[in-house]
Amino acid sequence: MTAGDELRVDLDQVRIDPAWALRIPVSLALRRRLLPFAVLRGEVYVACTEPPDAASLEAVARFTGHPAVLVRVEAEALTRALNRVFGDARGRAVASSRDTPDGDDATALADELMRAAIMRQASDIHIDPAREDIRVRLRVDGVLEEYRRLPSAAHAALCSRIKVLAAMDIAERRAPQDGAFTYQFGVFEKTHAVDVRVASLPTKRGERLTLRLLASQENPLTLERLGMDAADLATFETMLAQPHGLVLLTGPTGGGKTTTLYAAIRRLLASGPLNIISVEDPIEYEIPGVAQVEVDAADKVSFGKALRALLRHDPDVLVIGEIRDLDSLDIAVKASLTGHLVFSTLHTNNAVSVVTRLADMGMPAHLIGATLRLAVAQRLVRRLCPQCRRPVALGAAHARALGIPEAAGETVFENAGCLYCAGRGYAGRMGLFECAAIDADLAGLVSRGVPESALAEALRAKRFRTLLADGAGKVRAGLTTVREVLDAATEN
């Protein structure tokens, strides 16, 4: 146990690591007013307002398996953190599986996993049975982190608890299932809710569960907060002001396309009264002012049926969750030709290849040229923690890989790791974007069916910025690392 020089942090700005905060019993944390929140270099850092007694520090070291380093914080900040970690809407402590003798009470365990995911701002919880135990992992900023290993005896009860919450059949263990529920938790007398989608998959060792946590809509992301720079934002907003046309967002699964799509819808709603109708599978976020249609697994409301019905409801803007076949593409194109603004997503590697993909799906070149107005490709990269980012010189090889050889020797930044980011070096994610606006000249090339290389050359002549160029700008601005950009912008 170490006291050393007194450390101080602003606990409100710290990304508390639940793997350590939830390692100690609720009673110890609340009674002694202390909170382990990160482990660095083999030591657990414990927030407190006054030095606790030796017995409490020994208990923390015993539960965490690491010597404790005290970190002085403001009393109000510690109260807020304890409420975030342990408190419900009425301010009383919630149950924790750490408080039970064998740590496998299903209700407490499910609650702990949900709270851990919310604290880490995770997008997914993976519960994966293995030969000896159960591995629980969280996907944080796109990267899987191991959170906890559970005894195999806890598996059946934990799966049943989650399946009951998600209105799934607890007796069915040999077929995949899908469900959903809303998890409510309280902070400072206010109840918050997170929508959760659940999927089960039978494996050799038992059922595997994946829980997708949909981002809170209390502070919805805007186009600016997504990381779109001024030039791309101006291009995007110009398209939003058009009365008709086809706007396609493209990129890999998990690349943030749906988030950008919803941010665009909110911007449209703020511009004036519009009749906006969407068809989604499934609906990820509810947006007030939008008529959202969810595709029914029983096929009463299929994708094709819903799309054909939409045009009879006088929409100004149509939102199609994904262009998945020629049928949905045909409806999207016809809607844009008849005076509607149509948004959708597509899977391609970059913005220019959208044209090739649409042609491969069977759409004639002249219809693509007549309707496509904007193709936006995007990727997500991790954002550097501003508290601990470390300056380094940009090497010549990396400068060439980023397409900016002239920048060799410039100061850029790499990740380090500190108390504020739980030692990861990153805090949150941001988007890389390339926006290919199809003006009259480019539409003519598309209609003539020119090769993708010729279209790319024409775009470059109009100062088109690629994903790599956008990433290079964010590296030079100190927002992310070279490795993050190269991994994201060069993936296939």
Side-chain angles (χ1 to χ4, degrees):
M1 292 167 288
T2 317
D5 296 333
E6 184 174 278
L7 294 174
R8 288 183 177 271
V9 299
D10 180 356
L11 198 57
D12 289 329
Q13 302 300 317
V14 168
R15 295 187 81 179
I16 296 170
D17 191 338
W20 306 106
L22 294 172
R23 189 68 64 95
I24 67 173
V26 176
S27 54
L28 174 61
L30 297 185
R31 187 174 65 251
R32 299 302 183 188
R33 288 186 58 76
L34 47 82
L35 183 67
F37 62 92
V39 166
L40 292 177
R41 297 175 292 277
E43 297 176 312
V44 61
Y45 286 77
V46 182
C48 60
T49 55
E50 297 294 337
D53 57 82
S56 298
L57 282 179
E58 288 174 1
V60 170
R62 185 172 67 254
F63 281 110
T64 62
H66 294 286
V69 176
L70 302 182
V71 180
R72 191 68 66 87
V73 299
E74 296 294 332
E76 294 81 2
L78 180 57
T79 298
R80 287 191 288 271
L82 289 170
N83 272 289
R84 286 203 306 274
V85 176
F86 300 114
D88 68 4
R90 293 166 298 283
R92 59 178 173 79
V94 297
S96 169
S97 65
R98 311 279 184 179
D99 292 332
T100 61
D102 53 7
D104 61 0
D105 176 78
T107 301
L109 186 53
D111 188 75
E112 178 193 325
L113 298 185
M114 287 301 306
R115 285 183 165 271
I118 291 167
M119 265 191 284
R120 281 297 290 149
Q121 300 174 31
S123 61
D124 301 87
I125 305 172
H126 294 270
I127 302 172
D128 196 2
R131 181 189 297 272
E132 303 293 337
D133 52 19
I134 307 163
R135 181 169 58 167
V136 179
R137 293 178 293 174
L138 307 178
R139 187 173 294 280
V140 180
D141 296 338
V143 177
L144 278 176
E145 299 179 354
E146 183 161 311
Y147 168 66
R148 191 177 170 189
R149 295 270 181 164
L150 300 172
S152 295
H155 182 249
L158 176 61
C159 284
S160 294
R161 172 60 181 166
I162 293 173
K163 288 166 78 174
V164 166
L165 290 172
M168 298 160 68
D169 184 356
I170 63 172
E172 179 57 76
R173 299 178 181 175
R174 297 184 179 182
Q177 295 186 68
D178 294 296
F181 66 95
T182 299
Y183 179 77
Q184 294 188 333
F185 63 102
V187 180
F188 316 130
E189 305 298 328
K190 182 179 180 182
T191 299
H192 302 258
V194 174
D195 292 329
V196 184
R197 292 208 311 264
V198 182
S200 70
L201 184 69
T203 71
K204 182 178 180 180
R205 301 295 176 189
E207 277 190 296
R208 187 188 198 282
L209 295 182
T210 299
L211 286 69
R212 165 64 57 90
L213 281 68
L214 302 179
S216 169
Q217 294 301 290
E218 294 175 5
N219 295 299
L221 289 174
T222 62
L223 293 170
E224 293 86 352
R225 290 176 60 200
L226 289 172
M228 198 173 280
D229 77 354
D232 287 338
L233 183 60
T235 300
F236 204 98
E237 289 186 324
T238 299
M239 187 59 238
L240 292 180
Q242 301 303 308
H244 56 81
L246 182 60
V247 178
L248 292 178
L249 305 176
T250 183
T253 300
K257 300 186 298 295
T258 301
T259 302
T260 302
L261 186 63
Y262 281 22
I265 294 170
R266 290 192 193 91
R267 184 65 60 91
L268 281 169
L269 287 169
S271 67
L274 291 170
N275 182 19
I276 303 178
I277 305 177
S278 74
V279 178
E280 304 170 59
D281 181 20
I283 294 173
E284 293 202 11
Y285 311 118
E286 291 186 19
I287 305 179
V290 177
Q292 296 173 273
V293 180
E294 184 166 80
V295 174
D296 189 346
D299 210 33
K300 291 182 180 178
V301 183
S302 68
F303 223 79
K305 289 178 183 176
L307 288 175
R308 281 186 286 272
L310 291 191
L311 296 179
R312 294 193 289 271
H313 290 266
D314 186 33
D316 297 305
V317 179
L318 287 178
V319 180
I320 302 173
E322 180 184 352
I323 298 291
R324 50 180 61 184
D325 52 32
L326 182 58
D327 190 27
S328 56
L329 176 58
D330 183 61
I331 293 170
V333 167
K334 287 178 178 175
S336 62
L337 284 171
T338 54
H340 301 87
L341 189 57
V342 182
F343 289 83
S344 190
T345 66
L346 192 68
H347 290 282
T348 66
N349 292 331
N350 53 56
V352 180
S353 60
V354 165
V355 173
T356 305
R357 175 69 176 136
L358 294 179
D360 289 344
M361 292 177 73
M363 185 56 55
H366 71 278
L367 288 181
I368 300 173
T371 56
L372 182 63
R373 292 293 171 264
L374 179 67
V376 180
Q378 72 176 88
R379 301 288 191 276
L380 291 177
V381 295
R382 288 182 288 176
R383 189 186 294 267
L384 278 167
C385 172
Q387 303 287 343
C388 64
R389 62 180 190 171
R390 183 168 53 214
V392 293
L394 179 62
H398 280 158
R400 287 194 300 272
L402 290 171
I404 47 172
E406 73 281 0
E410 280 188 12
T411 297
V412 295
F413 293 86
E414 64 182 12
N415 59 304
C418 67
L419 296 179
Y420 284 90
C421 60
R424 272 65 169 188
Y426 297 96
R429 287 193 290 178
M430 65 191 307
L432 303 184
F433 296 90
E434 60 180 31
C435 294
I438 309 299
D439 59 15
D441 295 337
L442 293 170
L445 295 177
V446 172
S447 297
R448 293 200 299 272
V450 301
E452 188 175 308
S453 57
L455 187 60
E457 185 64 33
L459 276 166
R460 281 193 291 271
K462 295 177 179 290
R463 300 182 180 276
F464 168 67
R465 278 166 47 93
T466 64
L467 285 167
L468 188 62
D470 189 33
K474 289 179 167 72
V475 167
R476 298 175 86 172
L479 300 175
T480 190
T481 64
V482 172
R483 186 76 272 151
E484 283 288 303
V485 169
L486 292 180
D487 286 347
T490 58
E491 66 183 15
N492 293 318

